[in-house]
Amino acid sequence: MSLTAAIGFATFYAPPQQLAAKPFATGESRGSLIEPLPDVEPSSNAFGYSGAVQMRFALPGDAVEYPLQVHGDPTALRYVWRRLSDSAEVGVPMQLVSDTLTAPQSPGFYQLVLVRDGLHRVIDGLTVAVLVPFNEKHGPTLDGYRLGTFPGERHREDGLPEGFVRIMPNVADLAITKHLRLADFLSRDGQTTWPRFAAVDPKVLDKLELVVEQIAGMRHRRSAADTGEVQVLLSVHSAFRTPLYNRHVARAARDSRHQYGDAVDVAIDADGDGRLTARDTRLVAQAVDSVESEHPDLVGGMGVYTGH
């Protein structure tokens, strides 16, 4: 028997204004020599409020925010995308004029590459996931994967996922956040064919990481002798559920937010004693309240239930 905290949302994600960056920030040059291609890294606000979100999502060819910190002269910088699956650069270099870039045209996972004077530099730390658009779903299936029918799909109601992350075995371990991997969002539906697909809402990622950060802070304050980083252990019990699978989950609501990727059920050993007890649930609830108080745009629901 375990106690599990379910953190979920009922609103579609829009990047908060506080995360919007200037076109791109410039810093002091790291040396006295002017380099043909300056040092560039994602800005601190590229990783969400928590600083732990490592993936951004976009539809093919749509705008995607990618704030950058440029250490040096940003003049005449261009960018291209590097596909993770084969390290190939796709498309032609485009002029870098702001932190809003144009996503690649094909679904997949990409790194940003900056280009100038024939030099290419890969920017590490933030992956862009280009989604498979929802309208490529035909009936209950998408590329052979059985998703089922979403509530409201027959009437094309608002609130349906814009698209899905396409997951193959070789990318299942790819980091979404500091504590989450793509595999955590695979529906536990027993299907074994590939590709698999999942809806993922960035808002739930950021909130979960903030909750973990709050819990780590609580434990650090209680242990004056602990000067190192506090490790908070968590286990994802359920994230994305296909509508087909959701129908067979006991006590699951027909319109469960798990179908839209904006709810995650996690078990967190909040007090660090190696057990999951009611005390852990109370500490998680306290952390959620603190996060929601500090970030009203992340307010969502939290439920506690018991399960085997």
Side-chain angles (χ1 to χ4, degrees):
M1 183 77 73
S2 67
L3 292 174
T4 305
I7 303 174
F9 300 88
T11 56
F12 189 76
Y13 178 66
Q17 290 299 314
Q18 294 93 325
L19 294 187
K22 295 179 180 179
F24 36 75
T26 58
E28 294 293 332
S29 175
R30 291 180 176 175
S32 59
L33 297 178
I34 299 176
E35 297 180 318
L37 191 60
D39 286 341
V40 182
E41 60 191 353
S43 301
S44 59
N45 62 345
F47 304 100
Y49 289 127
S50 63
V53 178
Q54 299 175 20
M55 187 173 288
R56 292 201 167 216
F57 305 86
L59 290 170
D62 271 10
V64 57
E65 290 188 6
Y66 199 117
L68 292 169
Q69 179 76 26
V70 180
H71 302 275
D73 181 10
T75 304
L77 281 175
R78 295 181 296 161
Y79 71 95
V80 69
W81 296 103
R82 178 180 182 265
R83 192 165 50 216
L84 287 186
S85 60
D86 57 7
S87 299
E89 293 183 3
V90 298
V92 296
M94 294 174 282
Q95 188 175 5
L96 183 68
V97 295
S98 75
D99 67 339
T100 301
L101 310 181
T102 300
Q105 295 292 335
S106 298
F109 302 94
Y110 299 86
Q111 288 178 298
L112 182 66
V113 178
L114 296 187
V115 181
R116 189 168 70 186
D117 296 333
L119 299 178
H120 293 230
R121 177 169 294 165
V122 177
I123 307 302
D124 294 318
L126 190 63
T127 302
V128 170
V130 179
L131 307 176
V132 176
F134 187 92
N135 60 18
E136 292 193 14
K137 177 178 178 286
H138 300 291
T141 65
L142 175 59
D143 199 8
Y145 181 62
R146 291 176 290 128
L147 287 163
T149 303
F150 286 81
E153 182 178 353
R154 289 186 177 90
H155 305 289
R156 299 300 299 177
E157 297 176 3
D158 293 337
L160 295 172
E162 286 192 326
F164 304 96
V165 181
R166 185 179 188 272
I167 306 174
M168 294 292 288
N170 63 326
V171 297
D173 198 44
L174 193 61
I176 299 181
T177 74
K178 180 179 178 180
H179 292 93
L180 299 176
R181 299 293 181 266
L182 279 175
D184 293 321
F185 277 79
L186 289 172
S187 186
R188 274 66 164 168
D189 57 10
Q191 296 189 62
T192 58
T193 60
W194 300 90
R196 309 278 291 279
F197 294 90
V200 182
D201 189 326
K203 189 176 183 181
V204 75
L205 307 178
D206 208 10
K207 182 170 185 178
L208 179 58
E209 288 293 342
L210 286 168
V211 168
V212 172
E213 183 181 311
Q214 282 285 336
I215 291 169
M218 294 176 190
R219 283 171 47 187
H220 193 276
R221 289 190 293 271
R222 290 199 307 270
S223 178
D226 188 356
T227 58
E229 181 181 359
V230 176
Q231 299 294 325
V232 177
L233 300 180
L234 63 86
S235 174
V236 177
H237 285 199
S238 180
F240 173 67
R241 297 177 193 158
T242 67
L244 181 63
Y245 174 57
N246 188 69
R247 290 167 46 194
H248 302 287
V249 176
R251 300 186 299 277
R254 179 179 177 275
D255 60 349
S256 168
R257 299 309 305 177
H258 286 276
Q259 299 168 101
Y260 304 91
D262 57 11
V264 180
D265 298 347
V266 291
I268 301 178
D269 180 17
D271 59 10
D273 67 353
R275 299 177 298 134
L276 295 173
T277 65
R279 173 176 169 78
D280 294 306
T281 301
R282 290 194 297 270
L283 289 173
V284 172
Q286 182 180 340
V288 169
D289 289 342
S290 178
V291 168
E292 293 183 346
S293 176
E294 186 173 352
H295 302 285
D297 55 306
L298 295 183
V299 169
M302 176 179 170
V304 179
Y305 65 90
T306 59
H308 296 284

